């Protein structure tokens, strides 16, 4: 388990390094080797020289998460760039510091809809894949949590956790860290897995700990994998 969490920490560092939402993003972006797989199966190899993010509203949390939506790829780090949208592609692979980072182009769950409906957003986004099981995929995305105390406002960057089945083309965000107290935290989580009766039973049982889940959110996808058998 310790090895698993070390891997997650490494992935988190890569995620923040590639898709920062802080002021550091304004610094010059260093081109990264990449391979983009388009919808027709053809591949575009070259360098990611720039990108644009889009805010995606987590349907049951009401908070914005940030995913890449537009890519600018060139044959060389200084070559002529071509623009691609997430709608044009199936997946993106980047190489950063000798490590492979994989993004899948998928829809988000539409705002004001329940996750079990899997209603799609109008466009797709690139989701960084950080977990892969036999049937379940997990993703992490940067997010910003806003809170206040009296006249003081706080902004805290964190990571949101999402999932989908391999047969799905819609991603459900099931956990977004928050500085405040969410009164219906467990109810919110239940709604994210409502279409899986065995997960509903697990989340309402004594075997589930909300406190532990918040420490290791991706572990919940391992449980989902077992419940799908």
């Amino acid at each position: 388990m310790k090895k698993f969490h070390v891997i997650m920490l490494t992935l988190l560092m890569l995620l923040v390094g590639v898709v920062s939402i802080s002021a550091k993003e304004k610094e010059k972006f260093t081109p990264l080797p990449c391979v983009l797989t388009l919808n027709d199966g053809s591949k575009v190899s070259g360098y990611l020289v720039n990108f644009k993010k889009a805010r995606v509203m987590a349907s049951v949390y009401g908070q914005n998460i940030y995913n890449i939506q537009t890519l600018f790829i060139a044959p060389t780090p200084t070559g002529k760039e071509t623009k691609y949208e997430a709608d044009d592609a199936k997946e993106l692979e980047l190489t950063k510091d000798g490590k492979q980072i994989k993004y899948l182009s998928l829809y988000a769950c539409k705002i004001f809809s329940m996750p079990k409906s899997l209603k799609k957003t109008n466009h797709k986004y690139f989701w960084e894949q950080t977990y892969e099981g036999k049937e379940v995929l997990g993703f992490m995305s940067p997010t910003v949590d806003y809170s206040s105390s009296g006249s003081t406002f706080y902004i805290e960057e964190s990571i949101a956790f999402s999932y989908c089945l391999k047969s799905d083309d819609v991603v459900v965000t099931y956990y977004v860290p928050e500085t405040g107290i969410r009164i219906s935290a467990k109810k919110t989580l239940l709604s994210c897995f409502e279409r899986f009766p065995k997960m509903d039973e697990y989340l309402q049982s004594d075997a589930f700990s909300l406190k532990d889940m918040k420490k290791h959110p991706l572990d919940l996808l391992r449980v989902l994998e077992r419940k799908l058998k």
Side-chain angles (χ1 to χ4, degrees):
M1 185 61 70
K2 183 179 291 186
K3 182 179 179 182
F4 174 73
H5 294 308
V6 169
I7 293 173
M8 286 302 99
L9 178 59
T10 302
L11 287 170
L12 177 59
M13 292 172 68
L14 287 171
L15 172 68
V16 174
V18 175
V19 194
S20 173
I21 50 180
S22 67
K24 293 181 181 179
E25 184 188 334
K26 296 179 181 179
E27 298 176 3
K28 186 176 180 180
F29 177 71
T30 301
L32 297 173
C34 71
V35 177
L36 180 69
T37 302
L38 300 176
N39 289 328
D40 63 3
S42 61
K43 296 181 182 294
V44 177
S45 298
Y47 288 82
L48 178 67
V49 296
N50 206 346
F51 63 87
K52 290 182 180 179
K53 302 184 309 296
R55 291 185 298 177
V56 188
M57 186 74 76
S59 62
V60 294
Y61 278 89
Q63 286 184 234
N64 288 318
I65 60 178
Y66 295 80
N67 285 336
I68 295 174
Q69 189 173 41
T70 305
L71 309 173
F72 297 90
I73 297 176
T76 65
T78 57
K80 183 179 179 180
E81 62 190 45
T82 300
K83 178 181 176 181
Y84 297 93
E85 300 290 344
D87 289 336
D88 303 324
K90 292 182 178 180
E91 66 177 59
L92 168 70
E93 289 187 358
L94 299 178
T95 301
K96 180 177 172 63
D97 299 330
K99 298 183 182 295
Q100 299 295 315
I101 311 172
K102 184 176 182 179
Y103 294 81
L104 296 184
S105 180
L106 298 163
Y107 296 95
C109 198
K110 199 168 186 178
I111 187 64
F112 302 130
S113 69
M114 295 303 291
K116 68 176 182 179
S117 70
L118 295 183
K119 288 185 178 180
K120 304 175 183 180
T121 46
N122 293 330
H123 298 284
K124 295 195 292 183
Y125 308 90
F126 287 105
W127 302 78
E128 185 181 356
Q129 182 182 318
T130 52
Y131 171 86
E132 181 174 11
K134 187 176 180 180
E135 298 184 61
V136 181
L137 298 173
F139 310 93
M140 295 196 301
S141 306
T143 183
V144 175
D145 182 30
Y146 298 93
S147 61
S148 63
S149 177
S151 59
T152 303
F153 290 87
Y154 301 93
I155 300 176
E156 182 177 344
E157 294 183 14
S158 59
I159 299 296
F161 295 81
S162 308
Y163 81 96
C164 73
L165 300 186
K166 290 185 176 181
S167 57
D168 297 338
D169 60 355
V170 182
V171 173
V172 173
T173 297
Y174 66 95
Y175 178 58
V176 181
E178 298 172 289
T179 54
I181 298 176
R182 178 176 284 267
I183 298 175
S184 57
K186 195 168 185 178
K187 185 177 180 181
T188 299
L189 192 61
L190 281 165
S191 70
C192 294
F193 294 93
E194 190 176 356
R195 59 188 174 125
F196 309 109
K198 291 184 178 180
M199 278 298 286
D200 185 83
E201 293 175 6
Y202 168 74
L203 293 172
Q204 298 195 64
S205 72
D206 293 335
F208 172 70
S209 167
L210 186 62
K211 183 178 180 180
D212 289 344
M213 188 283 298
K214 290 180 178 180
K215 292 179 181 178
H216 309 297
L218 286 175
D219 287 354
L220 193 58
L221 301 186
R222 291 173 174 251
V223 176
L224 174 60
E225 195 79 52
R226 294 196 300 270
K227 298 299 180 183
L228 290 173
K229 293 180 180 179

